[in-house]
Amino acid sequence: MSGRISDSTVRRLSLYLRMLRDLERVGVVVVSSSQLAEPSGATSAQVRKDLSHFGSFGKRGRGYSVERLVGALQEILGLTHSWRLALVGVGKIGSALLGYGGLAARGFDVVAAFDVDEAKIGTHSFGLTIRPMPELRHVISELGVDIGVVATPTDVAAEIAAELARAGVGAILNFAPIELAVVNGVPIRTVDIVLELEGLSYLLSEVGRRVASGAGA
């Protein structure tokens, strides 16, 4: 395998895997790089380059075995076993995550939920008892949590992420609209809905349409 793989490459691998699973469900046996490229917005050359970081999976002119590539991408993305998640913040976003059955189907098991709201602590949400924050370190250690999820207001997100890192999680997914500093080398991925909407706003703007059409200055 080549050196450090970019985040954009990893995201495309996830898209390829999603498409391959759809093809597998309808009985497709072989797929070409151009077939994988079109729905993901990549080029066939980009698909081949992305996959070449991890080995050789197909033969020129013959395409890729769907079954083999699904297995390879699942292994590359660490999806051959389940990951345990702990959620901090059971508000609207947190509750939506707890209720999303697609996580478990993809190997991500939410095993603990925390909040500071006394009215929520001790209640049940989608099969989990909401716990108080002072129990965070003990529970994460006891349950072997791999990933911490921050779904709190912005003003406490950095503190919560740092606490999760110190508690021993291996990675953090952040839904607060703020870039968080890395603590103890724990990687953080931020999902910023506003940022994504602003990107779409640009594409809809006069400038964005002009650049996309090649009519820029």
Side-chain angles (χ1 to χ4, degrees):
M1 187 177 73
S2 59
R4 185 185 183 280
I5 305 302
S6 68
D7 287 345
S8 58
T9 297
V10 175
R11 288 190 178 94
R12 285 193 298 271
L13 293 180
S14 293
L15 290 174
Y16 302 155
L17 178 57
R18 183 181 300 174
M19 288 182 281
L20 286 162
R21 283 169 168 161
D22 289 342
L23 292 172
E24 193 173 42
R25 276 194 290 271
V26 296
V28 175
V29 176
V30 177
V31 63
S32 68
S33 57
S34 59
Q35 287 173 303
L36 281 178
E38 186 175 354
S40 66
T43 64
S44 56
Q46 184 67 68
V47 171
R48 292 192 295 270
K49 181 179 179 181
D50 289 341
L51 296 178
S52 70
H53 289 299
F54 306 95
S56 177
F57 302 102
K59 294 183 178 180
R60 184 177 295 276
R62 296 187 183 181
Y64 303 96
S65 161
V66 171
E67 181 181 12
R68 183 185 174 208
L69 199 50
V70 165
L73 290 181
Q74 287 182 154
E75 185 173 352
I76 290 166
L77 293 170
L79 302 177
T80 54
H81 67 281
S82 294
W83 298 101
R84 295 186 153 210
L85 279 63
L87 168 71
V88 180
V90 191
K92 292 181 180 179
I93 292 178
S95 295
L97 287 171
L98 288 179
Y100 178 51
L103 288 177
R106 291 291 184 265
F108 298 97
D109 186 15
V110 183
V111 297
F114 300 86
D115 207 286
V116 297
D117 187 345
E118 294 290 342
K120 295 177 181 177
I121 294 170
T123 63
H124 294 79
S125 181
F126 298 98
L128 287 178
T129 301
I130 300 175
R131 302 169 184 262
M133 286 301 296
E135 295 183 8
L136 183 76
R137 291 199 183 195
H138 169 72
V139 171
I140 284 178
S141 175
E142 181 180 47
L143 298 182
V145 172
D146 304 293
I147 301 172
V149 181
V150 178
T152 66
T154 302
D155 58 345
V156 297
E159 176 186 347
I160 296 301
E163 183 66 17
L164 284 165
R166 288 191 290 265
V169 301
I172 294 171
L173 179 62
N174 170 43
F175 281 91
I178 182 175
E179 289 299 322
L180 302 177
V182 172
V183 176
N184 293 348
V186 175
I188 299 174
R189 177 67 60 84
T190 296
V191 179
D192 191 330
I193 296 172
V194 172
L195 197 65
E196 299 301 329
L197 287 172
E198 288 176 348
L200 291 175
S201 175
Y202 161 74
L203 293 175
L204 292 171
S205 72
E206 182 180 347
V207 172
R209 290 196 300 268
R210 187 166 66 244
V211 171
S213 66

